[in-house]
């Protein structure tokens, strides 16, 4: 169960990363972000694409490795996901309410992913 969870979350990061590399504007569109310049496409590809694929690779490496490596990587990614979810909560406190999708949908994905990873670390 631990390995399957880590691999599955890695697959989600990889899918996001590949999508960001191929279609950065489409990735950002649900958030109302206009991606119109080479600089903005580069930023989406770097932060969501390259970083997402790197996180996936680390999770897969953790799933295939020793207990020590597994725990460190899984906790780090879990805390990163928790930080993302917390950022959405801060935004809700400082901004107006938003519809469930995409903000709260991704909040749920991040919070559940964080909880699962931290619990199995």
């Amino acid at each position: 169960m631990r390995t399957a969870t880590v691999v599955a979350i890695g697959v989600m990061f990889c899918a996001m990363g590949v999508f960001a590399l191929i279609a950065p504007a489409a990735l950002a569109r649900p958030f109302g972000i206009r991606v119109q310049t080479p600089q903005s496409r580069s930023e989406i590809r770097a932060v969501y694409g390259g970083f997402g694929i790197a996180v996936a690779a680390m999770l897969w490496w953790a799933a295939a490795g020793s207990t020590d490596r597994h725990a460190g990587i899984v906790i780090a990614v879990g805390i990163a996901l928790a930080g993302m979810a917390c950022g959405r909560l801060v935004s809700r406190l400082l901004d107006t309410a938003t519809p469930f999708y995409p903000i709260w949908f991704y909040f749920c994905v991040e919070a559940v992913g964080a909880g699962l990873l931290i619990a199995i670390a």
Side-chain angles (χ1 to χ4, degrees), residues 19-90:
F19 186 51
L21 291 174
I22 294 169
L27 180 95
R29 190 173 300 121
F31 299 95
I33 300 169
R34 296 177 60 183
V35 179
Q36 298 178 318
T37 65
Q39 298 90 330
S40 60
R41 288 186 294 275
S42 176
E43 186 66 10
I44 298 293
R45 285 182 173 123
V47 174
Y48 293 90
F51 186 74
I53 290 171
V55 169
M58 292 298 295
L59 286 170
W60 295 335
W61 187 44
S66 70
T67 305
D68 291 341
R69 180 171 70 202
H70 178 280
I73 292 169
V74 170
I75 288 171
V77 175
I79 290 173
L81 282 169
M84 294 164 70
C86 287
R88 294 185 194 280
L89 290 174
V90 169

